[in-house]
Amino acid sequence: MGSPVPQWRGVMVPLLLFWLLSVAIGLTVGGAGLAPFDVARALTGEGEPTARAIVLELRLPRIALGLLVGGILAVTGAALQALVRNPLADPYLLGLSGGASLGAVLAIQMGVASPWGMPAAAFAGALGAIAVVYRLARVAGSALDSRILLLAGVVVGAFAGALTSGVLAVSESAAVRSAMLWLLGGLGGVGWTGVLALAAWSAPALFVLALEARNLDLLSLGEEPAQHLGADVARTKRRVYVAASLLTAAAVAAAGIIGFVGLAVPHLLRLLRGHGHRGLLPAAFALGGAFLVLADALARSLFAPLELPVGVVTAVVGVPVFAVLLRRSVIGVKR
Amino acid sequence: MARQRALISILAGVVIATGCRADRQVTASILDDWGRPVVLAAPARRIVSLAPATTELVFALGLGGRLVGRTTWCAYPAEARAVADVGNGIGPNVEAVAAQRPDLVLLYASEANRAALERFEALGMSVAVIRLDLAADLRRAARLIGRLAGDSAAAEVLIASFDSALSAASQAAVPAHRLTARIYVDIEGNPPLTLGSGSYVTEIIRAAGAENVFADLPQPSAVVSLEAIVAREPDFVLAISSDTLRRRASIAGRPGWRSLRAVREGRIVVVPGDLYGQPSPRMPLAVRDLRERIAALWTGGSGAPRRRGAAAQRG
Amino acid sequence: MSGAALQLERASVRLSPALPRQLDDVSLSVAEGECLALVGPNGAGKTTALRALLGLVALESGRASVFGREIGSWDRSELARSVGVVSQREEPVFPLLVAEAIAMGRYPYLGTWSQPSAADRDAVQRAMARADVVSLEHRWVETLSGGEWQRVRLARALAQEPRALVLDEPTASLDLRHEMELFELVIDLVRRENLAALVVSHHLNVAARFADRLVLMSAGRVVSAGAPSQVLTAETLSSVFGWPVSVSWLSDGTPQLYPERKPLKPLSNQE
């Protein structure tokens, strides 16, 4: 007799296909008006040099970055929702988006906003915020209190955000504009080197999250029941928090602040399929990546040659879809 | 007693009547760029300029001596530095301006300045809102300031010399290449921000006989996708900065920008902000300067790039 | 088998230096094949005693041990394979299917990368049957009544295939039938499978009928311990609970207490 518990296996194949489809769309769509045939030829190394340049050096790294960043944001969102026991948590609740913004804005002010300087400054800012939040949330040795974590994240984020606004208020208009554009998020800032650096950096942290998947299931029951069922709660919380923070800091450094993916993608999957993290985490990675790539394709092509900030597209496209699914689940169309 | 009171009221009536007539004489109907009538009792003697472009214009009209306040960003001409700094031009410090006791405030036409305008009016100060974003605005602004300062003749002289210098520069004897230079204007790198046809720099480009690859965009500035830039195959990249080497290096170093032939072949033109940054009577100098730079890069390098017919038509 | 399964030896817990001890020199032990009921008024320290036993709270002095080993030497996973715990309250934050919830009882047995095996699935089925929750398998936890949820959690504890059970107020939301059924089940497990059972309960009369021994606590101390008939005396109970209590006996000698009435005096006429 089959288990009534929904199996993730059934959803992985469609998700993988969707993932591949998003890559295909990302490659063929864009402001340069290339036909799919030209794209295919460019991929094999032939075709016009301009088309080759656009496909191989512009679109391909963007897509790779989108798959990584989208995947990271969705996975950390899912893990954090379990960690703080709140389905409305998202990666930016840790306060590090505020820290990253502050780092970025200071980099612009000090004139070190190069293609490597900006991400480095944003990363440093994010780490600073994480350290403060971690310190605030540590109680009784090295145990993390989830409620304090949540509040500390909000507070530190607000503080950093206020400082950011302050710096912007006394900056000249070019600096303000630079800052605003970076903060709105985009996948064009780092090339292949950035993609590889991000991949190398995130792999261990993603692995750690995968290891803790079952413990995250237990944690959602509550800290005491989790302990009774064999979870080392303090250790799990610490590991998940550190991994999630490092992942999000890197994602923000590479691509600015892209909202909605980290909140909606895991939540959507929870609504559709359930909360077993062994399946939820990989599924979130796939769906988050595909979603961001599609959003970026739309951002590049909707008002070509103009380019929208990708964070705007993720929200505008994501919110209606999310709202429909939310209503369906609340109005009791549970399987 | 009654006779004294009657005498006083008659005197008061005469003074008021005279004053009104004097007002009617000077104000006539000078409307600023927001259609507001600007009321001045006499030609402006103490002027505060709240935009670098109007500051330059005031000096160009020979009225620099009447300037009692300028913004922190007014850097040209050098004499402007000696005038009192009253803060920002957008979102101005009303108190700092009022402290200079101006009889005329030249305010930059921006929606962000609506609140400041109300504050100035509440203080009873005369404000002329001036739109000075394009070369086309220069003539109107010069005439307006000239009238308000009681020196319309200076304005006409300036405009006439500007017009002749501009047409001379456009047809300058600097050897122009047969093909029109196609230029991408670089403001920001990530995401790429450029200028459309609604901007002063585009006007300089046009007057210099070149073409902004994004001239089809009407707005002053826009965020475009890198692949759109690559598809339009610009011959040059134009950037405005005071630090030439740094800016050039930063553009060349951006990931993916080497897909642009102009970047690969080093055809990056970096121009100074004080000459290209705001509409100015020195526009002819800018036009001449741009033509020379383009010619230098084109002849100094490998010659004009091969043009593909389809690409040249796109954009 | 001799030797205690669950044991507290002179355990003291003081959570804050300013306050008096939550546990003061408490000793209790439960052997395999035995059911011990821990009773006492609110705030007596019963739940703290459970926490101390399971290593969830630090001891100021004394010792807690499970199956002969000090609690500090147990790995959490290892402990979960030996002791099944049903706490007083549990509120999952995400919607959960009953089948999922019970399946988590097998997590202590699963390696990081392994899937549940046939043995795991069998253990779950057996546990569900024992706790009589098979009909609830496809339900969502949030739609269950308090009593049903408690039985589901008991099923989960049974799915852990423990050698000892620790139950904190397991019948708080259960109606008469389900309360009796649960205690009958626990006693059956104790007798037939030699489990050790430590039950915290407010329902003294029911506890008296099923437990082999009682430990009565008050204000962090053990007041009395032993067979129900020894512990449940009128004087002890009245003083511990601060209410006049009388005791009568069933035919098999089990004491049953009943509290006396103390009607409120009518208000004076001047009101």
Side-chain angles (χ1 to χ4, degrees):
Chain A
M1 173 188 116
S3 161
V5 177
Q7 294 302 317
W8 286 92
R9 255 183 315 253
V11 97
M12 282 318 285
V13 171
L15 264 181
L16 228 59
L17 289 176
F18 184 59
W19 198 86
L20 289 170
L21 181 67
S22 73
V23 171
I25 292 178
L27 282 171
T28 42
V29 150
L34 292 177
F37 180 65
D38 296 327
V39 172
R41 285 190 68 197
L43 282 172
T44 58
E46 298 157 19
E48 276 191 307
T50 311
R52 271 208 318 271
I54 291 176
V55 172
L56 295 174
E57 286 174 60
L58 296 185
R59 285 188 190 168
L60 213 47
R62 270 183 97 111
I63 287 166
L65 188 65
L67 292 174
L68 255 185
V69 169
I72 286 174
L73 290 175
V75 167
T76 50
L80 287 173
Q81 285 166 358
L83 182 68
V84 299
R85 294 173 44 83
N86 189 324
L88 291 179
D90 79 356
Y92 303 123
L93 254 173
L94 296 173
L96 52 75
S97 65
S101 309
L102 187 57
V105 161
L106 287 175
I108 292 170
Q109 274 294 82
M110 300 193 298
V112 292
S114 64
W116 281 104
M118 275 294 261
F123 189 68
L127 286 185
I130 291 168
V132 173
V133 172
Y134 188 78
R135 191 64 197 81
L136 286 173
R138 260 176 49 159
V139 295
S142 54
L144 287 177
D145 185 321
S146 303
R147 292 158 308 172
I148 299 183
L149 206 57
L150 206 56
L151 285 173
V154 171
V155 159
V156 168
F159 181 68
L163 287 180
T164 306
S165 301
V167 170
L168 285 179
V170 298
S171 307
E172 54 144 358
S173 51
V176 174
R177 188 189 49 214
S178 280
M180 295 302 320
L181 289 174
W182 186 86
L183 287 173
L184 287 172
L187 297 177
V190 297
W192 278 115
T193 3
V195 172
L196 291 171
L198 182 61
W201 174 265
S202 355
L206 287 170
F207 185 67
V208 166
L209 286 183
L211 282 177
E212 297 288 336
R214 282 218 170 91
N215 287 329
L216 286 174
D217 288 345
L218 295 179
L219 206 52
S220 356
L221 299 172
E223 288 192 19
E224 260 202 33
Q227 279 177 305
H228 293 315
L229 287 167
D232 183 341
V233 167
R235 197 183 64 183
T236 296
K237 287 203 285 192
R238 207 169 43 240
R239 283 183 179 178
V240 169
Y241 176 72
V242 171
S245 309
L246 293 178
L247 283 170
T248 313
V252 168
I257 297 171
I258 300 175
F260 199 71
V261 179
L263 168 65
V265 168
H267 206 85
L268 218 107
L269 286 169
R270 288 181 192 277
L271 289 175
L272 289 177
R273 210 75 198 159
H275 304 272
H277 289 81
R278 288 190 78 220
L280 179 64
L281 295 182
F285 190 81
L287 186 59
F291 178 59
L292 191 56
V293 166
L294 286 176
D296 180 61
L298 215 61
R300 278 182 286 128
S301 59
L302 207 54
F303 297 114
L306 299 180
E307 186 178 295
L308 294 172
V310 74
V312 168
V313 178
T314 52
V316 167
V317 166
V319 167
V321 172
F322 188 58
V324 165
L325 278 153
L326 201 59
R327 277 187 66 79
R328 261 188 53 201
S329 81
V330 164
I331 296 180
V333 189
K334 287 210 172 106
R335 294 155 295 110
Chain B
M1 207 62 206
R3 242 193 315 162
Q4 271 181 331
R5 237 191 282 155
L7 196 58
I8 291 171
S9 22
I10 292 170
L11 274 173
V14 168
V15 167
I16 290 169
T18 322
C20 289
R21 232 185 306 134
D23 275 354
R24 274 197 294 274
Q25 272 170 356
V26 178
T27 47
S29 50
I30 303 182
L31 294 179
D32 70 6
D33 286 338
W34 273 357
R36 300 168 51 256
V38 185
V39 178
L40 285 180
R45 291 248 152 247
R46 296 180 63 80
I47 304 175
V48 166
S49 160
L50 289 179
T54 47
T55 300
E56 186 177 344
L57 208 46
V58 165
F59 274 96
L61 286 168
L63 302 168
R66 304 196 201 184
L67 204 61
V68 297
R70 48 106 184 156
T71 77
T72 319
W73 314 106
C74 296
Y76 190 89
E79 296 88 328
R81 288 271 154 214
V83 178
D85 177 350
V86 294
N88 276 333
I90 299 188
N93 184 338
V94 176
E95 286 179 20
V97 171
Q100 300 304 322
R101 294 170 296 113
D103 50 23
L104 176 63
V105 176
L106 302 176
L107 185 64
Y108 177 64
S110 157
E111 288 307 312
N113 282 338
R114 290 262 177 204
L117 178 59
E118 272 176 49
R119 303 264 308 282
F120 284 129
E121 287 176 334
L123 290 173
M125 298 194 333
S126 298
V127 180
V129 179
I130 298 189
R131 186 166 41 242
L132 192 47
D133 301 318
L134 297 170
D137 298 328
L138 273 170
R139 298 179 186 84
R140 193 186 63 249
R143 288 197 174 101
L144 178 60
I145 297 174
R147 275 182 80 185
L148 288 170
D151 195 352
S152 298
E156 295 308 324
V157 166
L158 181 68
I159 291 169
S161 74
F162 174 78
D163 284 337
S164 67
L166 188 58
S167 56
S170 296
Q171 289 137 32
V174 175
H177 215 279
R178 229 160 304 147
L179 289 172
T180 311
R182 289 163 51 76
I183 299 184
Y184 170 73
V185 183
D186 176 86
I187 306 294
E188 287 283 343
N190 175 32
L193 183 67
T194 188
L195 299 181
S197 60
S199 94
Y200 176 61
V201 173
T202 308
E203 293 181 309
I204 297 177
I205 292 174
R206 210 175 277 138
E211 185 190 318
N212 178 349
V213 294
F214 283 104
D216 58 323
L217 296 177
Q219 57 260 59
S221 66
V223 172
V224 293
S225 66
L226 186 49
E227 38 180 274
I229 303 172
V230 172
R232 287 170 190 227
E233 295 179 339
D235 301 314
F236 296 94
V237 173
L238 179 74
I240 302 178
S241 166
S242 49
D243 192 335
T244 303
L245 288 175
R246 191 124 168 253
R247 188 60 181 272
R248 207 176 267 148
S250 118
I251 293 176
R254 291 179 194 152
W257 280 68
R258 290 193 59 81
S259 333
L260 281 172
R261 209 170 148 178
V263 172
R264 280 201 306 275
E265 296 180 3
R267 294 208 175 94
I268 301 175
V269 178
V270 182
V271 294
D274 66 341
L275 182 58
Y276 286 73
Q278 70 247 8
S280 145
R282 291 173 297 143
M283 185 178 174
L285 289 177
V287 171
R288 197 181 288 272
D289 177 68
L290 187 59
R291 284 175 75 91
E292 283 167 10
R293 286 175 190 264
I294 293 173
L297 271 185
W298 241 348
T299 54
S302 47
R306 215 167 22 97
R307 283 291 176 74
R308 245 162 279 108
Q313 255 107 48
R314 219 182 279 142
Chain C
M1 178 190 144
S2 67
L6 306 166
Q7 186 165 39
L8 275 179
E9 288 170 87
R10 309 202 58 175
S12 292
V13 170
R14 193 197 287 271
L15 292 174
S16 153
L19 299 172
R21 295 195 180 94
Q22 272 76 18
L23 278 188
D24 196 351
D25 201 24
V26 167
S27 297
L28 58 85
S29 74
V30 191
E32 285 184 281
E34 183 184 32
C35 175
L36 180 80
L38 187 53
V39 297
N42 289 340
K46 308 189 292 294
T47 303
T48 313
L50 290 191
R51 289 219 174 96
L53 184 61
L54 295 168
L56 295 178
V57 76
L59 293 179
E60 192 190 42
S61 63
R63 220 183 114 148
S65 49
V66 172
F67 289 111
R69 278 167 53 195
E70 170 121 34
I71 191 68
S73 71
W74 283 85
D75 184 54
R76 281 277 145 214
S77 259
E78 214 189 342
L79 189 63
R81 290 194 287 270
S82 299
V83 181
V85 181
V86 180
S87 41
Q88 243 176 28
R89 252 191 305 277
E90 189 177 309
E91 281 148 31
V93 80
F94 298 122
L96 204 57
L97 276 173
V98 166
E100 281 179 298
I102 300 176
M104 290 199 210
R106 298 303 296 172
Y107 276 18
Y109 292 92
L110 298 175
T112 324
W113 305 111
S114 47
Q115 293 273 57
S117 64
D120 294 313
R121 282 191 290 274
D122 285 340
V124 168
Q125 289 300 318
R126 273 199 307 271
M128 287 203 287
R130 287 292 234 145
D132 187 26
V133 293
V134 178
S135 58
L136 302 174
E137 194 180 7
H138 299 258
R139 295 265 303 272
W140 291 89
V141 162
E142 59 205 2
T143 64
L144 298 176
S145 70
E148 288 169 330
W149 179 220
Q150 242 160 353
R151 277 165 38 223
V152 165
R153 289 190 291 134
L154 180 64
R156 185 177 69 202
L158 294 177
Q160 288 169 259
E161 294 184 321
R163 290 159 61 194
L165 276 179
V166 174
L167 308 173
D168 195 353
E169 307 275 1
T171 58
S173 327
L174 295 184
D175 59 21
L176 183 140
R177 177 182 133 201
H178 287 111
E179 178 172 35
M180 293 302 288
E181 278 181 350
L182 187 139
F183 269 106
E184 296 287 6
L185 171 60
V186 169
I187 283 299
D188 188 60
L189 287 164
V190 167
R191 302 276 177 258
R192 276 212 279 165
E193 292 173 37
N194 218 34
L195 253 55
L198 174 55
V199 180
V200 169
S201 181
H202 268 308
H203 301 174
L204 289 152
N205 284 340
V206 179
R209 300 210 31 211
F210 286 97
D212 298 308
R213 288 189 302 121
L214 289 184
V215 169
L216 176 63
M217 282 182 69
S218 173
R221 297 173 148 268
V222 171
V223 169
S224 171
S229 48
Q230 279 177 274
V231 173
L232 299 181
T233 65
E235 315 88 73
T236 326
L237 290 170
S238 302
S239 91
V240 162
F241 284 96
W243 193 271
V245 165
S246 298
V247 176
S248 67
W249 286 266
L250 299 176
S251 49
D252 63 2
T254 316
Q256 296 283 278
L257 62 91
Y258 58 91
E260 300 288 351
R261 282 210 56 190
K262 279 203 311 190
L264 296 173
K265 293 198 174 43
L267 299 167
S268 68
N269 294 341
Q270 267 102 23
E271 282 302 310

